[in-house]
């Protein structure tokens, strides 16, 4: 996903001379390095200094440039939080804040590098749009939208590298603000947020019962919240499952439950999120998801 | 054996142990650790032999050297060291408060200084003996939070506070003297904030030790000139080794080099 973002950004930067990128001592993936070489003035590395990364982005945007801030998710959103809130959101500037390694992707680096609450935090900010693509293909579409169309602040949560393109089988195009049907089934609507879409596909590919014939949706825009499509989903399914690699209020799970209550949806809803805990466990990404009980096996057991 | 030679001997063993551990993990942060081995060794042999002294590893990504020393001291078992970054172990890439011998959870840069100032000030309030020592990377001096702590320490005249700066001139991405020229001079910045300031070769025990001859009522900073990746020629000042672990061949070469070193 990182590389896809970088490719799109580099291509776009050749066409739009006002496009700039600010990083805080993060080695730029693939094409970002090319961008840096081609347009050194529009690439800024503030060093290990995240507040000025956000501050400069805001100032440059006010002068008319189209700016992107880019670093590890915890450091792009948490460290400079009040700068994001006041400089970017309060002033409503069309800046994209990219958070790399959202969720617990940085599995051996521990809680200081885990963005568990980023979705919750980002959705709580007025004016902020929140996008969490499922795979490189959605990253491509979302990045293009952020760089060309967006008129407001956006938090773009990405994974790391090597994600499989689960959404390539979809008949629907990615579009901002819309829940997207990836695979159609009859029984259950599985709404997945971000790269955990792989668990959604495990459910339909590996389970033996009627779960096999479920629909998979990519819930990639979390804010604004797509209530229109949700109403249709409420109408068409008796059971909804949400899978997302984040915790707290403002996540799809919590927003969906509140909306279901409001709409008097009488079906079943099961939500699977990260725990509201700092888990002192290291290992692979899957190991950490396992300790948060966010795995195919655990989910299957619970929805039987 | 005098302190200087003993330090050289210990640090060579530490470097080898870190290299051998790298077989188990693809991202060990070897160069950040090699950069500050002599400093960490000095801190432990001179200060952390007394209960009242405290050491905060602010550049948490170099924790492996701290774990190795704590292992020597018997606070961390061989078994735990073997399970470094594994699901059933307690040791991750960054220090975690609650692990034996670890005084603060760090890993996000620019937090150690504030914690250290808080601890040093509380010692004053509660009339406790001992020093608070904090090891910072030079990258952390790019964070505004570090300078807030530096100013506060001088406001409170914390003469029980000692900072070591691992000045290898590299952050993760590039050489600071090239990319961020206004970063220097560091010593004048600290002294104008009211600190007692020293500049030494950070790989030399004696030079570091000499900073502790004179008493002073100010907080103390020792700016240690270091080489990132020090000890293995192909790792020195090469950015990829910030993160990467050596492959089999590189490992053998690196171990050989350390053995041939005088
Ligand atoms: C607040 C924060 N921003 C970014 C990072 C990611 N990061 C880890 S190490 C590093 C830079 C390493 O350079 P330096 O701090 O000088 O340490 P050293 O060269 O001694 O390894 C960065 C940017 C972080 N850990 N914390």
């Amino acid at each position: 996903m990182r590389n896809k973002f970088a490719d799109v950004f580099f291509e776009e930067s050749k066409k739009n001379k006002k496009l700039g990128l600010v990083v805080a001592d993060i080695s730029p993936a693939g094409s970002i390095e090319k961008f840096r070489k081609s347009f050194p003035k529009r690439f800024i590395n503030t060093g290990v200094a995240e507040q000025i990364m956000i501050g400069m982005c805001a100032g440059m945007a006010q002068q008319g440039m189209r700016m992107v801030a880019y670093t590890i998710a915890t450091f792009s959103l948490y460290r400079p939080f009040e700068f994001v809130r006041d400089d970017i959101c309060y002033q409503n500037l069309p800046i994209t804040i990219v958070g790399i390694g959202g969720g617990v992707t940085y599995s051996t680096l521990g809680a200081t590098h885990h963005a568990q609450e980023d979705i919750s935090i980002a959705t709580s900010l007025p004016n902020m749009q929140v996008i969490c693509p499922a795979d490189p293909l959605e990253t491509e579409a979302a990045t293009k939208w952020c760089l060309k169309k967006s008129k407001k602040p956006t938090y773009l949560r990405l994974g790391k590298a090597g994600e499989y393109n689960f959404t390539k089988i979809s008949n629907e195009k990615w579009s901002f603000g819309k829940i997207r049907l990836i695979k159609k089934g009859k029984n259950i609507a599985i709404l997945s947020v971000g790269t955990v879409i792989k668990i959604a596909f495990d459910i339909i590919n590996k389970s033996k019962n009627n779960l096999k014939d479920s629909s998979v949706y990519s819930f990639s825009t979390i804010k604004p919240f797509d209530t229109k499509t949700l109403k249709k989903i409420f109408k068409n399914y008796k059971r909804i499952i949400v899978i997302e690699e984040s915790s707290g209020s403002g996540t799809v799970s919590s927003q969906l439950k509140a909306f279901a209550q409001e709409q008097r949806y009488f079906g079943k809803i099961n939500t699977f999120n990260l725990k509201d805990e700092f888990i002192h466990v290291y290992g692979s990404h899957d190991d950490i998801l396992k300790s948060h009980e966010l795995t195919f096996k655990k989910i299957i057991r619970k929805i039987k | 054996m005098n302190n200087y030679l003993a330090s050289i001997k210990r640090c060579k063993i530490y470097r080898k142990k870190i290299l051998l551990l790298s077989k188990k993990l693809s991202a060990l942060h070897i160069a950040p650790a090699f950069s500050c081995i002599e400093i960490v060794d000095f801190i432990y042999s001179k200060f952390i032999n007394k209960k009242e002294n405290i050491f905060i590893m602010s550049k948490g990504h170099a924790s492996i050297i701290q774990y190795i020393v704590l292992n020597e001291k018997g606070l961390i078992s061989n078994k735990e060291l073997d399970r470094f970054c594994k699901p059933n172990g307690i040791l991750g890439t960054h220090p975690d408060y609650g692990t034996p011998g670890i005084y603060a959870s760090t890993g996000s840069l620019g937090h150690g200084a504030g914690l250290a100032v808080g601890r040093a000030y509380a010692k004053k309030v509660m009339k406790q003996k001992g020093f608070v020592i904090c090891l910072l990377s030079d990258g952390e001096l790019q964070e505004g939070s570090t300078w807030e702590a530096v100013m506060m320490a001088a406001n409170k005249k914390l003469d029980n506070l000692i900072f070591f700066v691992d000045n290898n001139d590299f952050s993760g991405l590039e050489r600071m003297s090239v990319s961020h020229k206004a970063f220097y001079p560091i010593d004048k910045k600290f002294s104008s904030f009211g600190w007692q300031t020293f500049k030494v070769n950070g790989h030399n025990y004696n030079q570091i030790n000499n900073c502790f001859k004179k008493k002073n009522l100010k907080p103390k900073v020792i700016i240690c000139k270091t080489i990132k990746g020090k000890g293995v020629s192909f790792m020195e000042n090469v950015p990829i080794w910030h993160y990467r672990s050596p492959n089999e061949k590189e490992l053998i070469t690196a171990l050989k080099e350390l053995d041939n070193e005088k």
Side-chain angles (χ1 to χ4, degrees):
Chain A
M1 286 168 102
R2 259 186 338 203
N3 290 336
K4 200 45 140 190
F5 167 84
D7 291 345
V8 174
F9 185 88
F10 182 47
E11 281 314 307
E12 212 44 50
S13 73
K14 293 182 205 162
K15 294 177 228 157
N16 180 358
K17 300 291 174 205
K18 288 183 180 162
L19 190 58
L21 183 76
V22 188
V23 307
D25 197 41
I26 281 303
S27 35
S31 296
I32 299 285
E33 190 55 39
K34 288 187 223 156
F35 167 70
R36 179 189 196 176
K37 294 233 164 75
S38 314
F39 309 108
K41 280 198 179 147
R42 290 194 270 142
F43 174 90
I44 298 124
N45 172 26
T46 58
V48 194
E50 290 79 8
Q51 299 184 145
I52 182 65
M53 169 182 77
I54 298 297
M56 273 185 84
C57 267
M60 291 172 82
Q62 285 179 319
Q63 282 305 112
M65 291 185 72
R66 189 148 194 117
M67 299 305 299
V68 175
Y70 178 101
T71 182
I72 296 172
T74 49
F75 308 131
S76 66
L77 191 63
Y78 300 178
R79 185 51 169 273
F81 178 70
E82 199 225 18
F83 292 74
V84 171
R85 178 183 181 271
D86 294 2
D87 300 357
I88 296 183
C89 292
Y90 186 31
Q91 307 191 93
N92 204 8
L93 301 170
I95 290 166
T96 304
I97 298 169
V98 180
I100 298 294
V104 290
T105 317
Y106 287 109
S107 55
T108 59
L109 300 188
T112 54
H113 287 60
H114 292 171
Q116 294 170 223
E117 334 77 334
D118 57 339
I119 299 298
S120 179
I121 289 173
T123 51
S124 72
L125 287 169
N127 288 334
M128 185 72 111
Q129 307 167 135
V130 180
I131 308 177
C132 186
D135 61 4
L137 282 172
E138 285 202 350
T139 302
E140 180 174 3
T143 304
K144 276 187 188 154
W145 185 84
C146 288
L147 302 182
K148 287 157 80 162
K149 297 271 162 61
S150 175
K151 294 193 169 69
K152 289 167 58 163
T154 310
Y155 176 62
L156 179 63
R157 184 215 244 201
L158 302 181
K160 242 163 88 182
E163 295 88 355
Y164 179 76
N165 275 321
F166 285 101
T167 65
K168 71 178 171 212
I169 58 167
S170 176
N171 292 324
E172 291 181 13
K173 271 196 170 162
W174 183 89
S175 93
F176 172 74
K178 267 209 75 188
I179 301 169
R180 181 182 180 210
L181 179 64
I182 307 300
K183 190 196 162 283
K184 184 137 183 62
K186 286 200 203 88
N187 290 315
I188 294 177
I190 306 174
L191 311 185
S192 76
V193 188
T195 56
V196 285
I197 195 167
K198 74 169 184 229
I199 300 177
F201 273 93
D202 276 349
I203 292 175
I204 48 175
N205 292 332
K206 292 187 188 166
S207 52
K208 296 188 180 76
N209 47 18
N210 63 354
L211 286 172
K212 260 183 153 19
D213 191 17
S214 301
S215 295
V216 175
Y217 290 88
S218 170
F219 209 123
S220 65
T221 306
I222 304 165
K223 192 178 175 186
F225 200 65
D226 181 7
T227 51
K228 206 170 134 200
T229 309
L230 262 186
K231 278 185 193 164
K232 281 188 206 150
I233 291 174
F234 287 165
K235 217 181 269 166
N236 295 334
Y237 300 88
K238 292 203 178 70
R239 188 168 198 175
I240 296 170
I241 294 173
V242 180
I243 307 173
E244 59 182 337
E245 194 179 340
S246 54
S247 68
S249 57
T251 53
V252 169
S253 297
S254 66
Q255 291 194 67
L256 183 133
K257 281 180 188 163
F259 185 63
Q261 170 78 8
E262 215 178 278
Q263 296 289 310
R264 299 181 177 278
Y265 173 66
F266 291 115
K268 247 189 171 171
I269 300 173
N270 299 95
T271 56
F272 299 93
N273 290 68
L274 294 178
K275 293 180 187 168
D276 178 25
E277 265 177 53
F278 292 115
I279 290 206
H280 300 257
V281 172
Y282 309 96
S284 67
H285 188 189
D286 284 341
D287 287 328
I288 314 300
L289 290 177
K290 199 166 146 194
S291 49
H292 278 280
E293 301 187 359
L294 202 56
T295 62
F296 159 68
K297 277 190 188 149
K298 277 275 178 198
I299 292 176
I300 286 291
R301 209 170 302 155
K302 281 189 189 153
I303 55 181
K304 252 188 189 148
Chain B
M1 200 182 326
N2 68 27
N3 285 338
Y4 172 71
L5 292 175
S7 155
I8 292 179
K9 203 171 152 200
R10 283 193 301 270
C11 291
K12 190 164 167 176
I13 296 171
Y14 296 157
R15 283 197 170 84
K16 281 187 174 172
K17 283 195 171 177
I18 291 173
L19 281 173
L20 288 172
L21 259 184
S22 74
K23 276 204 272 196
K24 298 199 172 82
L25 197 76
S26 60
L28 191 61
H29 291 97
I30 292 184
F34 280 16
S35 173
C36 64
I37 283 190
E38 284 79 11
I39 306 171
V40 172
D41 173 66
F42 176 86
I43 292 170
Y44 273 95
S45 51
K46 177 110 178 170
F47 287 101
I48 310 303
N49 42 20
K50 291 203 191 99
K51 252 208 155 89
E52 68 247 31
N53 294 336
I54 283 161
F55 170 45
I56 293 174
M57 182 76 159
S58 192
K59 50 172 282 186
H61 58 284
S63 70
I64 187 63
I65 174 58
Q66 203 181 1
Y67 298 152
I68 296 277
V69 176
L70 290 172
N71 172 250
E72 293 277 303
K73 295 197 174 296
L75 279 167
I76 286 177
S77 66
N78 288 336
K79 195 165 123 197
E80 280 307 337
L81 214 48
D82 274 342
R83 299 197 291 208
F84 179 59
C85 283
K86 298 281 180 310
N88 49 358
I90 59 165
L91 304 177
T93 301
H94 298 107
D96 191 3
Y97 187 45
T99 305
I102 299 295
Y103 295 90
S105 293
T106 55
S108 175
L109 297 167
H111 286 253
L115 290 168
V117 169
R119 278 186 181 261
Y121 183 64
K123 269 181 179 293
K124 295 273 180 200
V125 174
M126 298 194 287
K127 299 198 165 49
Q128 294 167 346
K129 284 195 303 190
F131 292 95
V132 178
I133 294 148
C134 181
L135 171 56
L136 303 107
S137 64
D138 44 13
E140 294 193 270
L141 302 187
Q142 294 181 313
E143 291 283 7
S145 58
T146 301
W147 294 102
E148 294 177 21
V150 167
M151 205 189 311
M152 204 57 206
N155 283 335
K156 294 292 176 197
K157 300 202 174 63
L158 299 178
D159 59 351
N160 58 347
L161 181 68
I162 305 162
F163 278 10
F164 288 84
V165 175
D166 179 359
N167 185 203
N168 56 33
D169 195 34
F170 276 92
S171 54
L173 197 53
E174 49 202 353
R175 225 183 222 291
M176 259 108 90
S177 54
V178 177
S179 61
H180 294 84
K181 289 209 165 72
F183 183 71
Y184 293 103
I186 302 173
D187 53 342
K188 285 192 185 133
K189 292 191 177 70
F190 271 97
S191 42
S192 70
F193 273 69
W195 284 55
Q196 188 193 16
T197 308
F198 298 88
K199 236 160 85 176
V200 300
N201 171 355
H203 299 298
N204 184 307
Y205 185 99
N206 284 347
Q207 283 198 25
I208 301 174
N209 198 30
N210 282 342
C211 306
F212 292 88
K213 297 235 159 100
K214 266 190 249 154
K215 277 223 165 199
N216 190 302
L217 291 177
K218 295 173 174 176
K220 189 198 292 284
V221 59
I222 300 163
I223 297 155
C224 302
K225 272 281 158 206
T226 52
I227 294 169
K228 193 156 175 172
K230 168 78 177 175
V232 175
S233 59
F234 61 87
M235 292 183 181
E236 291 184 357
N237 297 326
V238 179
I240 52 160
W241 296 102
H242 174 72
Y243 201 66
R244 221 193 107 183
S245 287
N247 60 31
E248 196 87 17
K249 217 174 122 195
E250 290 161 339
L251 178 67
I252 293 167
T253 319
L255 287 169
K256 253 193 210 144
E257 244 189 61
L258 284 172
D259 270 332
N260 294 338
E261 204 183 54
K262 270 187 284 163

